[in-house]
């Protein structure tokens, strides 16, 4: 059973109005993955108690292999996922998903994904399916429709 953590995503849009996505992406994807017994996931709330975020502040943006390794060791996980998101054009973001593999110390960057800011559930589903696949679960066998957990912004 793979162990993994979803770390905060990194806002590269220069729009502070999109800062909320850093936590929202990690939290809602984590809540969805938490439903799968085949995955040992560290919840974001637990990650917050274990990690000094100042130490890892620039890890995702700089794709810092050493810091990803330190984080994986601290959390004792096989995989760490995070990513950088960018504003591609008005109302549209692009996301570069990152995966750190603690078994061999490699950082993998997936092909950029795009989504409308009006409907982020499609982006969250794409990310979740990649994480499931990398965790050894066939994403085609999992009906993700209507199980992506959305965080409500008040």
């Amino acid at each position: 059973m793979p162990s993994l953590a979803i770390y905060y995503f990194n806002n590269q849009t220069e729009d502070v109005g999109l800062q909320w996505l850093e936590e929202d992406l990690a939290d809602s994807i984590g809540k969805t993955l938490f439903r799968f017994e085949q995955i040992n996931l560290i919840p974001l709330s637990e990650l917050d108690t274990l990690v000094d975020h100042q130490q890892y502040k620039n890890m995702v943006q700089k794709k810092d292999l050493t810091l990803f390794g330190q984080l994986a060791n601290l959390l004792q996980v096989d995989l760490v996922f995070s990513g950088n998101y960018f504003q591609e054009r008005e109302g549209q973001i692009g996301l570069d998903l990152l995966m750190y593999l603690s078994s061999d110390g490699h950082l993998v960057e997936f092909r950029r994904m795009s989504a409308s800011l009006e409907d982020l559930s499609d982006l969250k589903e794409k990310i979740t399916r990649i994480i499931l696949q990398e965790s050894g679960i066939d994403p085609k066998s999992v009906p993700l429709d209507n199980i992506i957990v959305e965080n409500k912004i008040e």
Side-chain angles (χ1 to χ4, degrees), residues 55-102:
Q55 181 178 351
Y56 301 99
K57 184 178 179 184
N58 296 315
M59 175 185 74
V60 177
Q61 178 184 358
K62 294 182 178 181
K63 302 173 188 169
D64 189 318
L65 197 57
T66 301
L67 287 177
F68 268 101
Q70 290 174 2
L71 181 63
N73 287 337
L74 174 68
L75 300 174
Q76 298 179 342
V77 294
D78 302 314
L79 304 169
V80 176
F81 289 91
S82 188
N84 294 296
Y85 59 94
F86 310 84
Q87 188 141 12
E88 292 190 323
R89 58 185 177 273
E90 189 66 33
Q92 188 88 6
I93 63 164
L95 183 131
D96 295 334
L97 182 65
L98 302 172
M99 175 182 70
Y100 177 80
L101 299 135
S102 59

Side-chain angles (χ1 to χ4, degrees), residues 11-13 15 28 40 58 60 69 73 76 84 86-87 93 96 104 108 136 140 147:
N11 181 7
Q12 294 289 301
T13 67
D15 180 351
S28 60
N40 182 15
N58 296 315
V60 177
N73 287 337
Q76 298 179 342
N84 294 296
F86 310 84
Q87 188 141 12
I93 63 164
D96 295 334
D104 59 10
V108 176
K140 293 177 184 162
I147 70 161

